[in-house]
Amino acid sequence: MSRLQAVFSAARKARRAAFVAYVTAGDPTPARTVEIARALRRGGADVLELGIPFSDPIADGPTNQRAAERALRAGMTPRGVIDTVADIRLEGEDLPIVLFTYANPVVQYGIWRFAEDAAAAGADGVLLTDVPVEEVERFRPAFLDSGLDPILLVTPTSTKERIRAAARLGRGFLYYVSRTGVTGAQSTLGRSLEADLRAVKKLSKLPVAVGFGISSPRQVQEVARLADGVVVGSAIVNRIERAGSSDTLAETIQRFVIPLAEACRRK
Amino acid sequence: MKAGPDEKGYFGVYGGSFVPETLMAPLAELAKAYQRTRRDREFQGRLDDLLVTYVGRPTPLYLASRLSARMGGARIWLKREDLCHTGAHKINNALGQALLARKMGKQRVIAETGAGQHGVAVATAAALLGLMCRVYMGSEDMRRQAPNVRRMRLLGAEVVPVESGSRTLKDAINEALRDWVTNVRTTHYILGSVLGPHPYPTIVRDFQSVIGREAFGQFRKTTRGLPDLVVLRRRGLQRRGDLLGVCSPRKGAPCRRGGRGPREWTG
């Protein structure tokens, strides 16, 4: 059983949704990412989603764009992110790590080499936001061969056939983007989420995690009722942006995610 | 370069669809709608009529005799796309896609622009057809091309400065894609160059192929032959559109016969 599968099935048994926390690796600086990862785990993250910063992040809203710019300016590279994953493992952290990025950095790195290096460092899955099912075959064999779970996205505009294909080609979990739009915190969730999510779950044997726009414990609770996993990204990245390079950064992050992780418990 | 893309939108090793999943269903819808218009006599008739009465086609093919003498060798003809309404060939594609947007029932169009020519063309086509229009432009480009910004605004378009990344064309494309991801149900994105996901490269190439069809026809009429060399100026990303547009009508066997067919030369 892969680490991701294990986490989702443990969460199900505990009657809670898995809490997936996203940050951009290298934000505010590459040196801080390991302590942020530790703070997230201590705060209750079940899965760590680590963004590899990219100069043209078309699926990301302003918050994550700025995070990517900060990380790139601070000298973060794909190789640097993979090394960071290795460092996180050296610290004894055992939570599954999903690398979240775009096709371009992976193609530039070399798909097979990327897969081998990422897996050797201890990554568990890769999510490429601009690689739909039509293009995933270019990456999937390399990922599977190295034991990485390819994670695919479905959205409210995905047809049934596309959802089925994503569920068939993906591993670990299926990522449901809860709205049409880019990443970023918002105060209300889509009204049709419940019905849409039911439809997706019917077509997928994989656990379904919901993300994009979830920022408060109340929203987490609402989604945790329906989904196998809840992803919070921009709201955490906002905190990192505000805290900057202060000494209390890790503590701030940990304190911020505790109520989010607790909200994953189904009442 | 092969004549047409394969079913996934690849021209050899280039092409495909590297965009967020949210856009895949709309892109499929666009490809389908576009295929229908190719056989739609009424649509083609309307476009041809507007190209004549509104754009001012055919543009002249002009023998630049003084330039030819000065250069001391080749006889040089100029295809005067600068005489199109709005002052550039961009209107050929903008008008075609704006008609397509109307056909698909979209009320709003968006576009990216670098120097401003494509933005002006889209603003013009939108004004003609009664579509709402928003143009994304890097703030650096807006400063450099202020007269075009005024023209777009005069035509009723909203020009939005893009402050992310390098604040130039590529960032404007990213921002337009983010708008499209968010407003995909009501909005058509009029891409101005042969780039982006399938079917855009095909659409832009086809709408610009009018340049090549006219130019080769006019050339044959005056010289009874084919040019030895086709020279196009390429500026950044922008000019690939005309390159494909000019050459695609004549990329077949007739051009190569005798080994004296047109060659592309970008500089």
Side-chain angles (χ1 to χ4, degrees):
Chain A
M1 199 191 297
S2 81
R3 240 190 302 227
L4 277 168
Q5 273 176 301
V7 159
F8 276 95
S9 78
R12 182 174 314 146
K13 275 181 204 135
R15 298 180 47 77
R16 60 195 299 278
F19 176 49
V20 184
Y22 169 90
V23 290
T24 302
D27 173 33
T29 61
R32 306 298 293 267
T33 302
V34 175
E35 62 181 292
I36 291 172
R38 191 188 312 125
L40 290 169
R41 198 265 305 149
R42 285 186 182 159
D46 297 299
V47 177
L48 174 63
E49 220 177 79
L50 212 48
I52 300 178
F54 176 47
S55 58
D56 296 275
I58 57 171
D60 282 301
T63 300
N64 287 350
Q65 285 175 48
R66 285 196 302 270
E69 277 177 28
R70 283 193 298 271
L72 289 171
R73 245 196 332 264
M76 197 43 136
T77 60
R79 178 72 246 182
V81 178
I82 288 171
D83 291 342
T84 303
V85 172
D87 290 343
I88 294 170
R89 292 295 181 226
L90 277 177
E91 294 278 309
E93 300 295 348
D94 198 35
L95 81 175
I97 299 176
V98 173
L99 297 175
F100 176 107
T101 190
Y102 292 79
N104 185 310
V106 175
V107 172
Q108 293 297 327
Y109 195 104
I111 296 168
W112 285 85
R113 206 159 57 85
F114 177 89
E116 279 165 29
D117 292 355
D124 298 280
V126 183
L127 194 165
L128 301 175
T129 46
D130 59 347
V131 175
V133 290
E134 283 80 357
E135 308 290 352
V136 78
E137 278 308 327
R138 188 190 280 211
F139 301 89
R140 197 168 166 271
F143 293 170
L144 291 179
D145 201 63
S146 302
L148 293 171
D149 289 330
I151 290 151
L152 292 171
L153 293 150
V154 292
T155 70
T157 62
S158 303
T159 58
K160 271 188 184 174
E161 293 70 52
R162 301 188 62 83
I163 296 170
R164 267 195 213 106
R168 190 179 68 244
L169 296 169
R171 292 273 189 287
F173 65 96
L174 190 62
Y175 193 128
Y176 182 67
V177 176
S178 50
R179 59 159 178 201
T180 57
V182 293
T183 60
Q186 61 179 14
S187 51
T188 55
L189 296 171
R191 255 173 303 164
S192 58
L193 179 65
E194 182 158 2
D196 289 349
L197 199 53
R198 262 186 233 290
V200 171
K201 289 188 75 169
K202 223 181 257 173
L203 298 169
S204 166
K205 271 187 224 152
L206 293 174
V208 179
V210 175
F212 279 38
I214 301 169
S215 56
S216 69
R218 226 175 48 112
Q219 289 172 327
V220 170
Q221 203 160 58
E222 206 180 312
V223 175
R225 231 165 22 91
L226 313 162
D228 304 299
V230 182
V231 189
V232 178
S234 299
I236 301 172
V237 175
N238 273 331
R239 290 308 180 290
I240 296 176
E241 181 165 50
R242 240 179 280 162
S245 293
S246 78
D247 293 341
T248 53
L249 174 64
E251 202 189 316
T252 309
I253 299 306
Q254 187 174 334
R255 228 177 306 138
F256 178 67
V257 297
I258 288 171
L260 296 169
E262 277 170 1
C264 282
R265 201 170 301 282
R266 295 192 189 104
K267 296 246 163 78
Chain B
M1 227 172 309
K2 283 199 300 189
D6 65 16
E7 75 280 4
K8 279 187 173 178
Y10 275 85
F11 298 79
V13 297
Y14 299 103
S17 307
F18 292 89
V19 288
E21 168 68 15
T22 306
L23 294 181
M24 290 307 289
L27 284 168
E29 178 200 329
L30 177 62
K32 225 198 262 164
Y34 177 64
Q35 284 307 327
R36 269 200 305 272
T37 61
R38 290 176 98 168
R39 294 184 303 268
D40 182 341
R41 279 221 172 133
E42 197 193 313
F43 181 93
Q44 294 300 338
R46 177 94 203 274
L47 179 58
D48 290 346
D49 181 54
L50 285 173
L51 287 176
V52 173
T53 59
Y54 191 71
V55 175
R57 307 206 69 91
T59 56
L61 184 75
Y62 165 72
L63 175 61
S65 50
R66 302 257 299 155
L67 180 63
S68 298
R70 177 72 180 260
M71 301 309 285
R75 279 193 299 163
I76 300 165
W77 273 264
L78 301 176
K79 177 65 173 157
R80 296 290 305 275
E81 286 302 294
D82 56 311
L83 297 177
C84 289
H85 180 39
T86 71
H89 68 293
K90 291 288 178 191
I91 190 77
N92 303 328
N93 168 58
L95 201 54
Q97 286 202 46
L99 275 177
L100 187 57
R102 282 285 303 261
K103 196 88 190 163
M104 290 189 295
K106 312 272 179 181
Q107 305 100 40
R108 178 175 179 265
V109 291
I110 55 171
E112 84 293 344
T113 197
Q117 290 289 8
H118 175 59
V120 168
V122 171
T124 303
L128 176 73
L129 298 173
L131 294 159
M132 278 189 291
C133 177
R134 177 186 272 190
V135 178
Y136 289 96
M137 190 168 186
S139 56
E140 189 53 32
D141 286 338
M142 279 179 78
R143 198 182 52 73
R144 288 191 291 220
Q145 306 286 349
N148 278 337
V149 175
R150 275 200 298 280
R151 272 175 96 191
M152 287 183 264
R153 288 183 173 151
L154 201 60
L155 287 155
E158 183 190 357
V159 183
V160 178
V162 176
E163 303 284 356
S164 59
S166 56
R167 303 187 176 120
T168 56
L169 179 62
K170 87 175 171 60
D171 309 288
I173 295 170
N174 293 342
E175 209 51 45
L177 280 167
R178 290 182 191 115
D179 180 314
W180 202 34
V181 171
T182 311
N183 302 301
V184 71
R185 290 183 172 108
T186 58
T187 300
H188 173 64
Y189 176 19
I190 302 187
L191 237 164
S193 300
V194 176
L195 51 79
H198 176 66
Y200 277 110
T202 309
I203 292 177
V204 178
R205 180 199 63 183
D206 291 356
F207 283 137
Q208 293 295 7
S209 67
V210 65
I211 306 172
R213 276 198 310 278
E214 280 177 15
F216 284 106
Q218 290 163 322
F219 194 84
R220 192 174 0 224
K221 224 170 176 177
T222 27
T223 68
R224 310 239 153 259
L226 287 168
D228 298 303
L229 187 64
V230 178
V231 183
L232 294 126
R233 174 166 160 221
R234 192 172 105 186
R235 191 171 51 190
L237 302 166
Q238 288 285 57
R239 296 297 161 129
R240 272 184 232 157
D242 19 342
L243 181 101
L244 272 168
V246 171
C247 293
S248 69
R250 275 288 155 192
K251 283 297 284 182
C255 286
R256 299 216 186 89
R257 216 180 293 148
R260 305 247 308 162
R263 277 179 292 153
E264 301 159 12
W265 190 9
T266 58

